[in-house]
Amino acid sequence: MKDNKILLTIFVLLFTISCEFDKEEYVSYSQEENKRFIKDNYEKLEVYIPMRDGKKLFTAIYTPKNKKEKYPILMNRTPYGVKPYGTDKSAYKDDLGPGVRLMRDLYIFVYQDVRGKYMSEGDFINMTPHGNPINESKDTFDTIEWLLANIDNHNGKVGQWGISYPGFYTAAGMIDTHPALVAASPQAPIADWFFDDFHHHGAFFYPHAFNFMSSFDQPRSGPTKMPNERFVHGTKNGYEFFKGITPIKKANELYIGDSLAYWNQMLAHPNYDEFWQDQNILPHLKNINCAVLTIGGWFDAEDLYGPLTIYQSVEENNPKIFNALVMGPWGHGGWKRTTGESMGDVYFGGNTSDYYANEIIYPFFTHYLKDEGSVDLPEATVFQTGTNEWKSFDAWPPENVKLKNLYFNKKQQLLYTPPGTREHGMDIFVSDPENPVPFTEYEDIGMPKRYMTDDQRFLSERKDVIYYQTEPLETDLTLAGPITANLMVTTDQEDADWVVKIIDVYPDDHPPFPHQPEKEIGGYQQMVRSEVLRGRFRNSYENPEPFQPKELTKVVVPLQDVFHTFKKGHRLMVQIHSTWFPLVDINPQKYVDNIFMAEPEDFVKAKHRVNRSGSDPSFIRVGVLE
């Protein structure tokens, strides 16, 4: 026990030394202090702002009481309600803006219900297609025009920010930028719902879609201040609940019916057709003339695709503007909603959200909206998990990354050298829709944020999960940028999902983390990145095709970017399986045109093979930072 305490002390010291972001001391305020500050220093106004088509959008405006100065405007457009509604002090928000320091520096804060939601007029359209005659760029433009003409004491400069869906509205609002919009920060923004949130390469994230849309998609009879009721599952056991509504059409038969328009549109469009393509914001991120700072989290279970691709699209289409990316060790919106010191069992060395609030978002908006200070942010400010350090790069992915292949070999080995040309090996597993691989070892009715770093040892005895791993590393190995899994597979059926996980295997003598000193962490298998591809989309998301049974087929699974160091003594593991329930709906494995409409008899066992022969090897391609 004494030795363990010594190891823990050394471990904490090493974390403290490595965490550069922990050197600064920041002033913090209690929730009550912030509430009191808002009531003492701001006045609240509620107005309806007319759009060019005559519809009026409900808007809450918080203006500083001190009228001797002029202030910039910081705006947030949301489908989640600008609550609390009302202008008496009991109806003030508990915090304003993207950070406490900004709130205390005094800005004009504007919150708007987007059209068709809560108190705003009009019809709500999910992920409003930019090609529509009325879109979010135009509504943003019209809102800014009205604010400049009708709000006193502004300095003529506007900024916009938002997390998740409001992040999408921020990104859309940058297009054909209003001249007064000088800075925008899309945070965990949705980019394309065929790859964000509810779909991953065609695979349907069942509990997340069901739980969100069963509330969010409820029809509105008219403007309202009341939120929609949440669905009551009656259990915390998501595995059994969602098995009970598989095939997915059973969800409609038992609970939904025709009540949720967008849910039923999703089920009617299983492929990446015009319905989804019209909602993709990425091709339209052009003619942007403001500074852009995109924020994302490495462990964002909802929207990891969005921030990475929005940053890239803005960079490609608008080369003359300031455009930067920040990726921290956070879950969805964790930089605003948590301290960011840990995710589940994994520790990140300190309060990473303080670093974001004080060293990133504060100087960004202060510089561009108040002409104060400077913005020393590089092209990419990214948190390196494994070593728990903030790093800066002139580009993302970094330019000094070397692509390498790690091959699947016999005896579950993962090696830089491919199998010999005369080797003819494969690993076989049977995927049974009646007994799908669970995605957590604990009960949860939804998509817990922590699953992104969860220990994967609970799957070690499953016969339908295969793995490959390196020997204990002799030196640190840092992966940066995207990862692709290149699988050579066969199946004796016509369809299959392919789940790929990148896992950091800790040594058996690894000491506990400081935030959970009593939890044994030796041998932990930390999921670093995971992804799933619905096999029918291996060649085209628009035009799916069945597998030819027992025919060797190439399946490429793109994984989102990582920036992670596998420390000396750790192992890098790759895990492969074909079900991942209930996170992903169950693929029947018999080919049907629309999986959502499959019949119970379409769900069949399948024998899958992953090839590791010398002539047709399977491997993962990684970017190694050198």
Side-chain angles (χ1 to χ4, degrees), residues 228-476:
N228 294 335
E229 293 184 3
R230 293 184 178 274
F231 183 86
V232 179
H233 302 79
T235 179
K236 293 182 179 180
N237 190 330
Y239 193 90
E240 293 302 323
F241 177 83
F242 287 100
K243 278 191 76 175
I245 50 174
T246 297
I248 287 178
K249 66 178 184 177
K250 288 181 68 175
N252 285 43
E253 295 167 2
L254 295 174
Y255 299 116
I256 293 175
D258 297 325
S259 64
L260 305 182
Y262 194 81
W263 167 269
N264 283 295
Q265 286 177 310
M266 286 198 295
L267 301 195
H269 295 274
N271 309 327
Y272 193 55
D273 57 13
E274 188 176 353
F275 171 76
W276 295 109
Q277 293 170 22
D278 285 349
Q279 297 172 58
N280 179 8
I281 195 68
L282 297 174
H284 305 287
L285 292 172
K286 301 173 182 177
N287 195 25
I288 295 174
N289 295 296
C290 64
V292 181
L293 181 64
T294 303
I295 312 294
W298 287 132
F299 305 112
D300 188 339
E302 287 92 333
D303 297 305
L304 177 57
Y305 175 86
L308 292 168
T309 53
I310 283 176
Y311 157 75
Q312 291 166 353
S313 295
V314 172
E315 185 73 8
E316 291 169 4
N317 295 325
N318 308 273
K320 295 181 180 181
I321 68 169
F322 174 89
N323 178 51
L325 173 71
V326 176
M327 296 295 295
W330 304 304
H332 194 57
W335 50 93
K336 175 70 172 174
R337 300 160 181 165
T338 73
T339 63
E341 76 162 20
S342 62
M343 170 68 72
D345 297 326
V346 179
Y347 185 62
F348 301 125
N351 188 327
T352 60
S353 296
D354 266 359
Y355 182 83
Y356 153 80
N358 290 281
E359 301 298 327
I360 295 174
I361 201 66
Y362 178 80
F364 174 72
F365 278 126
T366 300
H367 174 74
Y368 285 105
L369 296 181
K370 289 195 170 186
D371 293 321
E372 297 176 7
S374 60
V375 177
D376 297 324
L377 293 173
E379 183 78 12
T381 303
V382 287
F383 191 86
Q384 184 172 336
T385 56
T387 61
N388 294 338
E389 298 173 292
W390 286 101
K391 298 289 187 180
S392 298
F393 295 100
D394 294 332
W396 186 261
E399 294 177 350
N400 55 330
V401 165
K402 185 175 182 179
L403 295 179
K404 295 185 178 181
N405 295 339
L406 281 163
Y407 294 90
F408 304 170
N409 277 264
K410 60 184 178 181
K411 298 181 180 179
Q412 290 80 47
Q413 292 178 309
L414 192 62
L415 303 172
Y416 287 114
T417 55
T421 54
R422 295 184 180 181
E423 291 186 29
H424 300 281
M426 63 182 63
D427 292 297
I428 302 171
F429 64 97
V430 175
S431 177
D432 183 359
E434 289 296 318
N435 183 28
V437 176
F439 85 104
T440 65
E441 62 178 331
Y442 46 85
E443 288 187 355
D444 200 287
I445 199 63
M447 184 176 66
K449 291 177 172 58
R450 62 165 293 173
Y451 99 85
M452 297 283 282
T453 61
D454 269 350
D455 188 355
Q456 300 301 301
R457 284 179 292 182
F458 74 101
L459 298 177
S460 59
E461 300 301 319
R462 298 246 348 174
K463 302 300 182 185
D464 49 359
V465 177
I466 60 175
Y467 71 91
Y468 308 88
Q469 65 179 347
T470 65
E471 291 296 316
L473 298 171
E474 296 181 357
T475 60
D476 290 358

Side-chain angles (χ1 to χ4, degrees), residues 92 121-122 137 235 270 280 289 394 493 571 586 616:
Y92 281 30
E121 298 177 354
S137 172
T235 179
N280 179 8
N289 295 296
D394 294 332
Q493 294 296 330
R571 297 173 186 255
I586 300 173
D616 295 293

Side-chain angles (χ1 to χ4, degrees), residues 79-85 113 117-119 212 214-231:
Y80 300 129
V82 300
K83 51 190 178 294
Y85 294 91
D113 289 338
K117 279 294 183 180
Y118 284 85
M119 291 295 290
F212 181 79
S214 61
S215 171
F216 187 79
D217 197 27
Q218 292 175 24
R220 187 188 74 155
S221 58
T224 178
K225 298 177 182 179
M226 299 302 296
N228 294 335
E229 293 184 3
R230 293 184 178 274
F231 183 86

Side-chain angles (χ1 to χ4, degrees), residues 46-82:
E46 293 183 338
V47 299
Y48 274 99
I49 297 180
M51 300 292 105
R52 64 188 66 186
D53 65 343
K55 299 300 182 183
K56 297 177 181 178
L57 306 189
F58 185 89
T59 309
I61 304 170
Y62 294 79
T63 59
K65 290 181 179 180
N66 181 357
K67 305 303 181 184
K68 295 180 182 180
E69 298 182 22
K70 294 186 181 297
Y71 305 97
I73 297 170
L74 259 174
M75 180 171 62
N76 180 284
R77 305 185 65 244
T78 178
Y80 300 129
V82 300

